[in-house]
Amino acid sequence: MSELPVLIAGAGISGLLLAQHLQQQGVPFRLFEQDAAIDTRSGGWGLTLHWGLPALRELLPDHLVARLPETYVNKVAAARGDTGRFQFFDLQTGSALYSVPAAERIRVSRVRLRQLLATGLDIQWNKTLQSIDSESAPDRVTARCEDGTAFTGCLLVGCDGSRSRAREMLYPHGPKMRPLPVQLLGGAALYSPEEMAGAEAIDPFLFQGSHPETDVFFFFSLLDTPNNFDDSSKDKYLCQIIISWADAKGIAVPGDNAARLALIKSLTANWVEPFRGLVHNLPDTTEARSIRISDWMFRPAQNHAHPRVVLVGDSAHTMTMYRGEGANNAIVDVLDLTKRVDLRSLGSLTPEALREALAAYETDVFTRADPSVRNSRQACLDAHDFSRIVNGSPLVSARLRE
């Protein structure tokens, strides 16, 4: 085994999961992250884990697998074996057009999953990757950070997300992130049972829909339920509301938060209940965040400048949220990396052998994730064209490992 550590840039889901696996295997690593703490960008986001679950369990130590229920957004529903129906609704009539079945599926809080995966790990915070040096010696790579610190290892794994610095350095000439012609506004708020108006009975995790006349898309997700955690509200639900529409509608997103909330409510005024009420119950204090959607997919065998650097997760394949496959692909990326590269014997691998192993990993990832990126992109476009949804779309098809 090499005495040089594996360098992991980014303490997201994939970076933390890789670090947990390396720690189990006794492989030295250095994990560094640009944020100041695990909850710096806690955000109101949930993750749906389905076909990536077997890989997650294989990579994690048993004691952390046993603690996964600590991350569930609705532990009561999960305990009764409810995997959700994930229905898609016609927001003019209220009829359910589709459901997305799954033999196994869990919905987790992203920040709570990260907190669990960070258990027992030494993470270097406030370390923003500035440059990569892989020319000084053929058996090592050095990551330099903006604060002047540097980490030297035998391999650098870029797990630093959709705005990856590592990716920019590996692919300085492109391709660039591809923006999609969609505007999205979303927010999270606490709702009483009365304000929920039976939403949990529709689905204990999430549902979505669109209006056939306006093509405005709706996504509703539970992020927490009463008494779910010690710090949960005892009588309210934490809910995430997202609406989106095509640029072709010519509706600009206002710069003022109050105007953004007003726009959300005006675009949903003709929806049938309870969907209209779920949007119109958003408090005036809600932060209405605007997100510009983009995606990106790497191409194998194009990283020639830094042969000891490889990408994992959103750094390698940034997907839209309309199919919820990003986290599942990120988890399986880590497993594929551990299968293709003998991380316990990196010190004995020649540069040529390492590059061959990384190339095999990249082929695995591209073969699996490229269809997910394409399907997620099409799902995003179809979400804003009701005629495409009713005629079948990746937006409402089952989530199966490609």
Side-chain angles (χ1 to χ4, degrees):
M1 182 191 303
S2 172
E3 293 182 359
L4 290 173
V6 174
L7 307 181
I8 305 172
I13 302 302
S14 58
L16 293 167
L17 188 56
L18 176 59
Q20 286 289 350
H21 176 77
L22 294 177
Q23 187 157 272
Q24 284 188 88
Q25 299 296 314
V27 178
F29 66 89
R30 299 295 300 274
L31 172 58
F32 57 98
E33 161 64 43
Q34 66 176 349
D35 287 345
I38 196 73
D39 58 353
T40 296
R41 291 179 290 166
S42 57
W45 291 97
L47 300 173
T48 304
L49 304 181
H50 28 77
W51 56 261
L53 279 169
L56 179 66
R57 296 188 181 107
E58 183 174 343
L59 289 162
L60 281 180
D62 291 343
H63 72 278
L64 291 185
V65 173
R67 292 177 56 193
L68 279 174
E70 296 178 17
T71 69
Y72 294 174
V73 300
N74 192 335
K75 291 192 283 190
V76 172
R80 66 173 180 258
D82 194 335
T83 60
R85 294 165 292 286
F86 288 30
Q87 296 179 97
F88 189 96
F89 290 89
D90 178 329
L91 301 180
Q92 184 177 53
T93 67
S95 59
L97 302 179
Y98 298 94
S99 62
V100 181
E104 183 180 28
R105 175 169 50 197
I106 62 174
R107 182 79 174 165
V108 303
S109 160
R110 182 179 182 274
V111 67
R112 292 188 189 277
L113 180 60
R114 287 186 68 210
Q115 289 169 340
L116 178 66
L117 295 180
T119 301
L121 297 180
D122 180 14
I123 305 171
Q124 303 295 308
W125 301 102
N126 290 313
K127 303 295 181 184
T128 300
L129 183 63
Q130 182 179 55
S131 65
I132 299 171
D133 177 8
S134 57
E135 299 177 354
S136 300
D139 65 341
R140 63 193 61 203
V141 58
T142 298
R144 304 189 189 281
C145 300
E146 290 183 353
D147 66 355
T149 58
F151 304 99
T152 297
C154 53
L155 178 68
L156 171 61
V157 185
C159 304
D160 49 343
S162 60
R163 294 187 175 92
S164 170
R165 294 287 191 96
R167 180 175 68 204
E168 292 174 1
M169 296 167 198
L170 262 62
Y171 301 95
H173 305 297
K176 302 299 182 184
M177 288 280 284
R178 170 177 170 168
L180 277 76
V182 169
Q183 300 282 353
L184 183 150
L185 282 172
L190 286 170
Y191 280 8
S192 68
E194 292 74 25
E195 291 169 325
M196 286 284 286
E200 188 182 12
I202 295 175
D203 194 286
F205 304 109
L206 65 83
F207 51 82
Q208 53 191 348
S210 180
H211 195 286
E213 292 184 356
T214 63
D215 292 324
V216 174
F217 172 80
F218 175 51
F219 178 87
F220 178 87
S221 169
L222 286 173
L223 299 176
D224 199 359
T225 52
N227 298 296
N228 206 39
F229 305 103
D230 290 341
D231 58 350
S232 298
S233 170
K234 303 308 177 188
D235 58 357
K236 290 190 177 182
Y237 297 80
L238 180 60
C239 304
Q240 181 185 46
I241 304 285
I242 291 175
I243 71 163
S244 58
W245 63 93
D247 280 350
K249 296 184 74 69
I251 302 172
V253 174
D256 176 72
N257 190 71
R260 289 196 293 270
L261 278 173
L263 175 61
I264 289 174
K265 295 178 181 182
S266 69
L267 289 173
T268 60
N270 62 344
W271 290 3
V272 70
E273 296 294 348
F275 309 107
R276 179 187 180 278
L278 288 172
V279 176
H280 286 246
N281 284 332
L282 283 170
D284 292 341
T285 55
T286 305
E287 179 189 2
R289 297 179 59 195
S290 173
I291 299 176
R292 193 63 178 174
I293 300 171
S294 301
D295 64 12
W296 190 84
M297 184 70 208
F298 85 102
R299 293 293 183 271
Q302 291 191 356
N303 168 28
H304 304 296
H306 301 290
R308 288 186 174 270
V309 183
V310 70
L311 301 178
V312 168
D314 286 350
S315 303
H317 42 67
T318 302
M319 305 179 195
T320 78
M321 48 74 69
Y322 289 81
R323 278 180 59 86
E325 297 209 75
N328 291 274
N329 273 284
I331 290 167
V332 179
D333 285 356
V334 177
L335 183 62
D336 284 348
L337 181 65
T338 66
K339 299 294 186 185
R340 288 295 189 178
V341 183
D342 186 354
L343 298 172
R344 292 171 296 182
S345 304
L346 282 172
S348 62
L349 289 179
T350 64
E352 294 75 17
L354 175 60
R355 192 61 237 168
E356 183 178 339
L358 292 177
Y361 157 76
E362 289 184 340
T363 299
D364 291 343
V365 172
F366 183 81
T367 301
R368 167 175 40 80
D370 187 56
S372 290
V373 171
R374 294 176 184 273
N375 283 335
S376 297
R377 180 186 305 150
Q378 191 61 52
C380 175
L381 299 175
D382 292 353
H384 311 99
D385 185 338
F386 196 83
S387 64
R388 292 184 180 179
I389 299 168
V390 296
N391 290 318
S393 164
L395 179 66
V396 291
S397 61
R399 277 59 169 163
L400 302 173
R401 180 169 177 176
E402 303 290 349

